[in-house]
Amino acid sequence: MEAETAGGIGAMGLLFSLAFIALMIASLWKVFTKAGQPGWASIVPIYNFLVILQIIGKPWWWIIGMIIPFVNFVVFIMLAIELARVFGKGIGYAIGLILLPFVFYPMLAFGDATYRRPMVPALA
């Protein structure tokens, strides 16, 4: 009886995890397409960060900051702030992207936010 209960809990955890992953993939896909980028780029590791950098108008070498321990936290925060900014949102929304991404990325993707091209060139 205990093994059946543990199996049920494990299966529910797996289903919840898969649903969460599907939500985040769909959200990033939609954010990328709103910004005029290919949606499939959101599921390609490392390349998706390069596309995000292009969306927010930052140079490609910022990707180096993502692999340096502790620096990556700062870069991640700056990316969230800039991503919120190019979609017309403020610092409060950026904090939401950082602390509750499973709520704020779907809101950004499926809400009424529109992409505003950054003023600086993406390939600086």
Side-chain angles (χ1 to χ4, degrees):
M1 184 73 170
E2 291 177 12
E4 292 172 0
T5 303
I9 292 172
M12 289 302 293
L14 177 64
L15 288 175
F16 180 76
S17 297
L18 291 175
F20 176 78
I21 291 168
L23 174 68
M24 293 309 292
I25 288 173
S27 297
L28 279 178
W29 191 295
K30 182 69 174 170
V31 167
F32 277 41
T33 57
K34 273 187 170 185
Q37 300 297 323
W40 59 264
S42 66
I43 60 174
V44 180
I46 300 172
Y47 181 62
N48 60 4
F49 282 114
L50 289 171
V51 174
I52 288 174
L53 289 172
Q54 187 177 15
I55 289 170
I56 66 173
K58 297 300 177 195
W60 66 268
W61 53 263
W62 273 40
I63 197 89
I64 297 169
M66 292 301 292
I67 60 174
I68 301 172
F70 301 108
V71 174
N72 57 0
F73 291 117
V74 175
V75 172
F76 176 72
I77 291 168
M78 293 170 70
L79 287 176
I81 292 169
E82 290 299 313
L83 188 63
R85 186 182 60 78
V86 298
F87 278 95
K89 304 295 182 182
I91 191 72
Y93 203 91
I95 292 170
L97 287 173
I98 295 164
L99 298 178
L100 294 170
F102 52 89
V103 173
F104 282 83
Y105 275 99
M107 286 172 47
L108 187 64
F110 302 110
D112 61 352
T114 56
Y115 177 65
R116 302 173 185 174
R117 190 165 303 279
M119 298 301 233
V120 277
L123 300 175

